[in-house]
Amino acid sequence: MLYRKMPKNGDELSILGFGCMRLPVTEERQIDEPRAIRQIRDAIDRGVNYLDTAWPYHAGESENVLGRALADGYRDRVKIATKLPSWMIRIREDMDTYLNAQLEKLKTDHIDYYLLHALAGDSWDHLESLGVAEFLDKARSDGRIVNAGFSFHGVLEDFKRIVDGYPWEFCQIQYNFLDEENQAGTEGLKYAASKDLGVVIMEPLRGGNLGLPTPPPDVEAIWKTSPVKRTPVEWALRWVWNHPEVTVVLSGMNEEAHIEENLAIAAQAFPNSLTEDDIKRIESAGRKYKTLMKVGCTGCGYCMPCPSDVSIPGCFEVYNKLHMFGNVEEAKVMYAVRMSGIIRDGSPSYASQCVQCGECLEKCPQHIEIPDFLEKVAEELEDSELEQRVAMAKKMLNIT
């Protein structure tokens, strides 16, 4: 494992952080706790020392599971990062209420890296008006938090304003080779670093889309031109780690094979280690992906739950795969199986259920015009044979 320093405090952090937003789940969609704890502890035993969670992850259970995973001496070996749910704060007292509850859930007396969650311009202004600076100062002075930071999903202008608005130790931004000019982007990364902020990266694989084992044929052809053989995951992660301004890259590792691969990559991902040819090849792949992907969804789930029970991230995942790989029938079958609800609770979650209420628009950190895209999903993936595909899937899965 390689380590990089937080500029302001000198903490040596593993360049690979364990993201706890997508822990392994059972068939009932609950966290598979024994497996998740094994995965977390194995990663720590192999050098990972930065673990990231948040109040809403896994319907509030992620923090509880992480707290139990860090028993038996593991807590003293790591830095915990969790987040104040900024959209749930109505009064100043709410800030202390959530932080104190998180300390209890995580079974600790301090949070090493505490973030204001999913800031954009308006949410920062709201928290600032309620006295968030005083809250952070107090929580730092009484020892409940050690380092203050924020995660961001807005526009560059607001990002710079927030960076300058408080003496942060770090920030967390979405960054990958498709997002150089999206949200904070490369300019924001460099701006934060110029202010001596550590930078933690989320969504390095764009919701997993950049790490598919078999990439779109046109992208795979680009990777094959390299004399150095790398997996799509390695290309994407190495590109992020190539930036010396990056401190930690978060990965939502919920499969043992993913953990193995990420650990192996993290053992050799030095800054400025990619060649000029490598970088040009990645830029070419990025341009190709942008022509193929129809929706810039990362699968973060912030848009959920939908009042009409639409599985928004699920719909967009199938829709993007349809256009990346061009296999129409496979996509329609996948859509029928997943959105019919037959492998969950039987409740359908089709794109056509959208009533254009607009609630999701206020929540989406990617600022996607969700209702418009759901209409396109319904047009392309729901046809007269949809129910026939559902019936066929039920028969194959022996579901009555």
Side-chain angles (χ1 to χ4, degrees):
M1 177 61 65
L2 299 178
Y3 297 84
R4 297 185 187 181
K5 282 188 179 181
M6 272 283 174
K8 288 188 177 181
N9 62 25
D11 281 352
E12 294 272 356
L13 301 179
S14 56
I15 65 170
L16 176 65
F18 201 114
C20 298
M21 185 172 81
R22 299 181 176 105
L23 295 172
V25 297
T26 63
E27 291 182 0
E28 292 75 31
R29 308 307 296 170
Q30 303 299 313
I31 296 175
D32 185 339
E33 186 166 330
R35 186 180 176 198
I37 290 176
R38 285 196 303 271
Q39 290 179 350
I40 291 168
R41 291 185 174 184
D42 179 59
I44 295 170
D45 288 338
R46 298 170 70 180
V48 172
N49 68 359
Y50 187 92
L51 296 104
D52 174 272
T53 184
W55 182 271
Y57 294 173
H58 286 283
E61 282 303 305
S62 176
E63 289 173 321
N64 288 322
V65 171
L66 180 56
R68 291 190 283 271
L70 296 181
D72 303 324
Y74 279 89
R75 172 67 183 97
D76 295 335
R77 299 166 58 184
V78 301
K79 305 295 185 184
I80 296 177
T82 195
K83 310 173 186 74
L84 180 77
S86 56
W87 58 93
M88 299 174 75
I89 304 302
R90 299 292 177 264
I91 57 176
R92 164 67 180 82
E93 288 73 18
D94 289 343
M95 302 175 196
D96 289 297
T97 299
Y98 282 106
L99 172 56
N100 293 336
Q102 289 172 302
L103 291 167
E104 185 174 343
K105 290 170 73 177
L106 288 162
K107 302 183 187 303
T108 187
D109 62 358
H110 69 280
I111 307 297
D112 302 286
Y113 287 87
Y114 197 65
L115 303 93
L116 308 185
H117 199 173
L119 291 191
D122 291 346
S123 53
W124 167 243
D125 293 340
H126 171 68
L127 291 177
E128 198 173 28
S129 72
L130 294 178
V132 74
E134 186 271 337
F135 159 72
L136 293 172
D137 289 344
K138 182 175 183 296
R140 292 164 90 177
S141 66
D142 64 28
R144 287 178 296 163
I145 68 174
V146 181
N147 301 286
F150 65 95
S151 66
F152 184 77
H153 282 296
V155 298
L156 178 61
E157 180 181 355
D158 285 332
F159 177 75
K160 291 182 176 180
R161 182 164 63 88
I162 296 169
V163 166
D164 294 335
Y166 185 80
W168 315 99
E169 276 83 18
F170 73 115
C171 64
Q172 183 171 311
I173 63 171
Q174 175 176 314
Y175 195 58
N176 54 67
F177 67 76
L178 296 186
D179 285 323
E180 287 194 84
E181 297 180 3
N182 185 33
Q183 298 188 27
T186 300
E187 187 175 341
L189 170 68
K190 293 182 180 295
Y191 187 79
S194 75
K195 303 289 185 175
D196 288 330
L197 269 64
V199 183
V200 177
I201 301 301
M202 56 184 159
E203 301 293 357
L205 302 179
R206 245 318 177 87
N209 284 306
L210 300 181
L212 297 172
T214 304
D218 288 348
V219 175
E220 188 171 26
I222 294 170
W223 297 146
K224 284 183 175 179
T225 64
S226 172
V228 180
K229 300 308 173 188
R230 298 185 174 114
T231 64
V233 170
E234 185 172 2
W235 280 112
L237 292 181
R238 287 289 298 270
W239 183 88
V240 179
W241 275 317
N242 199 57
H243 295 76
E245 300 88 354
V246 169
T247 311
V248 176
V249 172
L250 297 175
S251 178
M253 303 177 283
N254 55 19
E255 296 285 345
E256 286 73 14
H258 297 166
I259 297 171
E260 290 293 332
E261 181 176 18
N262 289 353
L263 286 168
I265 299 167
Q268 55 185 335
F270 291 93
N272 298 316
S273 59
L274 295 181
T275 67
E276 264 189 54
D277 283 345
D278 288 335
I279 293 170
K280 288 179 181 177
R281 193 168 286 110
I282 294 168
E283 289 173 349
S284 178
R287 289 191 294 271
K288 180 54 65 176
Y289 267 115
K290 287 175 182 177
T291 67
L292 296 171
M293 295 176 70
K294 298 298 181 182
V295 191
C297 176
T298 67
C300 69
Y302 291 159
C303 56
M304 301 295 287
C306 166
S308 299
D309 294 325
V310 178
S311 175
I312 299 170
C315 288
F316 289 161
E317 180 185 352
V318 177
Y319 187 61
N320 271 334
K321 285 182 177 177
L322 164 64
H323 286 277
M324 282 194 290
F325 298 100
N327 192 326
V328 177
E329 188 55 32
E330 180 181 289
K332 287 184 175 181
V333 170
M334 183 189 304
Y335 182 82
V337 171
R338 291 182 57 181
M339 304 312 146
S340 64
I342 61 173
I343 57 175
R344 297 191 318 277
D345 58 3
S347 301
S349 54
Y350 297 120
S352 58
Q353 293 169 212
C354 173
V355 296
Q356 307 255 340
C357 70
E359 184 174 315
C360 54
L361 295 173
E362 300 174 6
K363 301 176 182 177
C364 178
Q366 314 301 327
H367 311 294
I368 297 167
E369 293 296 326
I370 292 174
D372 293 344
F373 276 108
L374 286 175
E375 191 173 343
K376 293 177 181 178
V377 173
E379 287 175 2
E380 295 191 42
L381 291 172
E382 298 182 33
D383 58 23
S384 59
E385 297 179 9
L386 176 61
E387 291 305 318
Q388 184 179 337
R389 293 188 184 93
V390 173
M392 179 181 67
K394 285 182 176 180
K395 185 175 181 180
M396 290 175 59
L397 297 171
N398 196 26
I399 296 173
T400 57

